[in-house]
Amino acid sequence: MDIDMLLYRGALLAYLLSTLTYIFSLLIRRVSPARAATWVLTAAFGLHTLFFLGQWLSKGYNPFLRVHDMLSFFAWVMAGVYLAFQLRTKTRVLGAFVSPVVFVLMIISSVGIGGPMTVPEVLKGGLVTIHAMLSVVGEALFAVASVAGLVYLIQDGLIKRKKSNKFMKLFPSLQDLDRINHFCLLWGVPLLTLGVLAGSIWARTVWGSHWQWDPKQIWTLAAWLIYAVLLHQRLAIGWKGHKMALLSVAAFMLLLAALLVEKSFFTTIHRFY
Amino acid sequence: MNLILIGMNHKTAPVEIRERLSIACNEGFNPLDEIKAIPGVGEALYLSTCNRVEILARTQEEHPDVEERLKDLIFRHGNLGEEDMARCLYVYRDGAAIRHLFRVAASLDSLIMGEPQILGQVKEAYRLAVDHQAAGIILNKLLHRAFRVAKRIRTETGIASHAVSVSYAAVELAKKIFGTLKGKKVLLIGAGEMSELAARHLIKHGGDRIFVANRTHERAIQMAADFQGVPVDFDDVGESLREVDIVISSTGAPGYILTYDIIAAALKRRKNRLLFLIDIAVPRDIDPRAGDIDNVYLYNMDNLQDIADDNMQIRRGEAEKGELIVAAEADRYIEWFNTLTVVPTIVSLKEKAMGIINLELERSGGWLRNLRDEDREAVEIMANAIANKILHDPVTCLKEESQEGSALAYVAAIRRLFRLDGSRDNE
């Protein structure tokens, strides 16, 4: 086994460990295990980063075109964004919701990782890489926003219930969770916009037009539209807190469901290798 | 072990009796010297707070009348009849005394379980004992252990971590909503004592600016000046909801001051920023339906009291974990105490020397193997002889001391110097 795979397995194991530690923190309703879990998650993220660097340097090819690599990259961005927030706010136990998602993404991705690579000629070129990376970062930010939204809804419910509750003490404050939503939309929407633009320019060069009414393209446009509207409402109208949390969760669920339908019932020219 | 603890606390003695005792000591009179003067008492600690009086003493040998003399002392200080006092006193010995001291220091025995002051008071009592040269080897170790037990229980159980007063419950809620209170603006409607107290709590935890509205505007101006805040016209209260983050309302008004419509309209103008409303007035000032509005969190007096009560219940549950820690730590202390006798100390001293010799012989095994068998034996014999010669004087000294009386201090010193208890007890 080469060093890359060792790093990958190490990261996978550390993600698992941090997930378990976070869950333990929820079970005993104390924050101290979550503190340890944050460090484990940081270690996992570090190993994962080294893995990407290694892939990029040793193989030389664009490492983000296969579905497995893409999922792993998605997980990496989620972990990174969460850890960055952890540095600035006391959102520690939020990790108990982010870490499992990251771990599951990594498990799915691990099935095909390290296999032989055959990228067709059309998928070679810098623009494809930019398109894929920006889009994934944008969508990963939306995923973090929806996880934060979920925790917001729980915490909001607990505070409105007006009963003493250990989970209420454990979970982050509403304002911090709302701030995550703000940040994720603020950066997610422009990044996805750039990603989609890069994609459509590149589509023109290989498929001859910017838009093919491909299911995947429609899905992406829908996602972009939904989040652009949310961001607009947030900045211009002042939708905040509960409503925004609810909509972020709903939007992500809807898009996830649409993605599953698309995968099961339609064929697309827009796919990974 | 000859430890004896005599005392009374809020559970056993009515306030009039505790009062008399603490008045007596507030007069600048500290009974430590008097306690030490009792024949047989070697070490002593005197702890007095509003809720308890405790005397902890160690006698050198069995002194059957020490208990009576200590009680006498308390009676004299209390200036009360013996019968009255005797009902309130408890007496613990040895293991029970240790556990009681640990429970007191960890605030398991306090009126408000988990309150933090008692540990400071125990530390102060210990400092006085040290100043009066009333603390020796046993009490030093015991008190340091008590401080550690208290710290362990604080960090390992939730005994101190749930707000049990109404104003702290409000501060904790505010933190769960806003994260930090830094930069948060607070509006007080009604300039009463209650709202003033709550406001002080919020400021202590970072609350930024205070706005005050009152039916009589002069009172609002006066109170705002106290907080270096801003007085607000009573009729403009709805308007100021646009700016503030936390509202504490406590007027004597018969109807609602903040109706559903006022709050809903204000929320729109403040672009849905979170709003925390605390209604401590009876009858209520804020329409309870306002709590259904998104991003508005409305708590009234009963809600806060319920939370404080629930938290007290949680603390009681956590206290059970604390009791387990107390029991385990008391056992460890007794275990340490039992090693403070001469014979086992000599045995472990010799074992330690033998251990070092064997280890070094093993390490030197390489070149020792080159020697003839007789020479090797001679080296081992010499090593043993050196060790025995070095230990001879300390061991003889220990034996002599133990015949003359208590060798406790010597035993403790030897155990410490040679690390016979391992490193864990050398904090």
Side-chain angles (χ1 to χ4, degrees), chain B residues 259-284:
Chain B
T259 61
Y260 183 93
D261 293 336
I262 291 179
I263 295 167
L267 209 70
K268 212 165 272 172
R269 267 177 305 162
R270 54 189 278 120
K271 290 205 163 181
N272 300 309
R273 276 184 299 118
L274 308 182
L275 184 62
F276 183 26
L277 306 174
I278 304 166
D279 188 355
I280 51 183
V282 180
R284 287 175 289 186

Side-chain angles (χ1 to χ4, degrees), chain B residues 173-203:
Chain B
L173 277 166
K175 282 189 178 164
K176 276 294 135 191
I177 294 170
F178 298 113
T180 168
L181 295 186
K182 269 208 192 79
K184 296 293 169 246
K185 294 173 185 151
V186 182
L187 169 66
L188 306 179
I189 306 177
E193 206 175 312
M194 278 291 265
S195 55
E196 192 175 331
L197 186 72
R200 290 209 189 281
H201 262 294
L202 290 172
I203 291 174

Side-chain angles (χ1 to χ4, degrees), chain A residues 30 152 155-156 159-160 162-164 166 168-169 171 173-175 235-236 238-243, chain B residues 155 161-162 172-173 175-179 271-272 291 293-299 303 310-311 318:
Chain A
R30 293 181 68 94
Y152 188 104
Q155 181 69 303
D156 181 86
I159 295 178
K160 289 230 163 176
K162 299 177 189 174
K163 287 275 179 316
S164 175
K166 284 188 178 177
M168 186 167 106
K169 270 191 84 72
F171 289 163
S173 71
L174 295 176
Q175 187 114 56
L235 294 181
W239 284 8
K240 281 192 190 67
H242 184 261
K243 185 186 261 176
Chain B
T155 51
S161 58
H162 302 269
E172 275 196 358
L173 277 166
K175 282 189 178 164
K176 276 294 135 191
I177 294 170
F178 298 113
K271 290 205 163 181
N272 300 309
I293 303 175
D294 270 358
N295 299 354
V296 173
Y297 302 90
L298 169 62
Y299 274 69
N303 302 143
D310 287 353
N311 283 346
E318 294 295 310

Side-chain angles (χ1 to χ4, degrees), chain A residues 76-248:
Chain A
W76 181 79
V77 175
M78 277 189 80
V81 169
Y82 167 69
L83 286 171
F85 275 115
Q86 175 51 45
L87 281 178
R88 297 191 43 199
T89 51
K90 283 191 213 155
T91 49
R92 226 172 263 288
V93 180
L94 182 60
F97 296 80
V98 175
S99 187
V101 177
V102 170
F103 175 67
V104 167
L105 287 171
M106 286 294 281
I107 279 290
I108 302 171
S109 116
S110 74
V111 175
I113 205 82
M117 176 81 182
T118 46
V119 176
E121 274 307 309
V122 292
L123 285 184
K124 287 185 175 155
L127 212 50
V128 185
T129 311
I130 290 171
H131 159 68
M133 284 181 77
L134 290 178
S135 309
V136 168
V137 171
E139 280 157 19
L141 282 167
F142 298 151
V144 173
S146 93
V147 172
L150 183 68
V151 179
Y152 188 104
L153 294 179
I154 299 173
Q155 181 69 303
D156 181 86
L158 290 175
I159 295 178
K160 289 230 163 176
R161 251 182 55 205
K162 299 177 189 174
K163 287 275 179 316
S164 175
N165 189 302
K166 284 188 178 177
F167 282 117
M168 186 167 106
K169 270 191 84 72
L170 205 57
F171 289 163
S173 71
L174 295 176
Q175 187 114 56
D176 285 339
L177 291 167
D178 193 50
R179 218 168 270 154
I180 292 178
N181 181 286
H182 180 83
F183 175 90
C184 287
L185 290 189
L186 196 65
W187 285 92
V189 170
L191 288 175
L192 185 63
T193 309
L194 291 176
V196 168
L197 283 178
S200 84
I201 292 169
W202 170 78
R204 166 115 185 137
T205 63
V206 290
W207 292 327
S209 85
H210 293 297
W211 183 257
Q212 282 85 23
W213 290 105
D214 180 80
K216 186 67 170 282
Q217 288 178 332
I218 297 170
W219 181 86
T220 307
L221 192 72
W224 180 85
L225 212 67
I226 289 174
Y227 281 101
V229 168
L230 285 186
L231 179 64
H232 174 265
Q233 297 303 88
R234 177 160 196 124
L235 294 181
I237 314 291
W239 284 8
K240 281 192 190 67
H242 184 261
K243 185 186 261 176
M244 213 55 203
L246 193 64
L247 288 174
S248 299

Side-chain angles (χ1 to χ4, degrees), chain B residues 215-235:
Chain B
R215 186 80 71 183
T216 44
H217 195 59
E218 289 70 39
R219 180 82 184 93
I221 294 172
Q222 191 188 338
M223 192 160 153
D226 286 351
F227 286 111
Q228 288 160 345
V230 183
V232 175
D233 227 32
F234 196 76
D235 298 326

